[in-house]
């Protein structure tokens, strides 16, 4: 690696660590959500602008469908038109879900949060009955992921546990409703922040917040 390349990587690291360390998500009780969104959006745009000027936007291989930053533009409720559903699956916390889904671009539920919910037990039961589990957008109820595919439930749970968050592969993504942005952020087509694509030796790996995919399916009349 050249000295110039090392300098660029240090710059990228500095930008990312600065925004993460010094711009935590404020509590809704201390600042309005509109102001929160403005702060997060401004920080994200500055970071992405500098990084893109050096590295350009990534294009991920495999089946990954790329999306434009415009998907996450401000809407009626943060980056989405609506708040998260009240009756989230697996006893996921509403306030945590709404902040992560709609007023956030960088942050995640804490590692291992998903195993503190009723997800593992209910997932095993649903997979045993149906052969797979469909994960729905916590805002809109649209299907986003279907797992496990190409592996069994224990392999899905083992990989998710090793990384700290539910982890999906290309074949488990409902690409009609999911996009990956140039910085690796995984989002729904409706503006829900889901997590990030963190590829490994096996290919794309979508590290996803459980609170973002704990919605219920919407009935079609």
């Amino acid at each position: 690696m050249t000295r110039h390349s090392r300098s660029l990587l240090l710059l990228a690291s500095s930008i990312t660590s600065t925004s993460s360390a010094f711009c935590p998500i404020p509590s809704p009780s201390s600042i309005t959500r509109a102001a929160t969104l403005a702060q997060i959006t401004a920080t994200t745009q500055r970071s992405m602008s500098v990084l893109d000027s050096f590295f350009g936007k990534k294009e991920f291989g495999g089946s990954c469908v790329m999306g434009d930053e415009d998907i996450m533009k401000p809407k009626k409720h943060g980056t989405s038109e609506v708040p998260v559903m009240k009756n989230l699956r697996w006893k996921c916390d509403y306030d945590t879900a709404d902040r992560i889904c709609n007023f956030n671009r960088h942050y995640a539920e804490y590692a291992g949060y998903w195993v503190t919910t009723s997800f593992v037990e209910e997932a095993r039961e649903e997979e045993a009955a149906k052969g797979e589990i469909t994960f729905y957008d916590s805002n809109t109820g649209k299907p986003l992921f279907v797992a496990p595919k190409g592996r069994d439930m224990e392999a899905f749970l083992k990989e998710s546990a090793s990384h700290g968050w539910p982890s999906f592969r290309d074949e488990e993504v409902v690409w009609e409703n999911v996009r990956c942005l140039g910085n690796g952020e995984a989002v729904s087509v409706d503006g829900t922040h889901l997590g990030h694509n963190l590829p490994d030796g096996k290919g794309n790996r979508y590290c996803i917040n459980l609170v973002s995919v704990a919605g219920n399916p919407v009935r079609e009349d």
Side-chain angles (χ1 to χ4, degrees), residues 143-164:
L144 301 178
F145 301 92
V146 180
K149 286 190 174 184
R151 52 181 171 173
D152 60 24
M153 173 57 71
E154 294 310 310
F156 169 75
L157 293 174
K158 181 178 180 180
E159 179 174 53
S160 297
S162 69
H163 295 294

Side-chain angles (χ1 to χ4, degrees), residues 17 78 90 109 152 213 216:
S17 62
W90 310 306
E109 65 199 21
D152 60 24
V213 293
N216 290 282

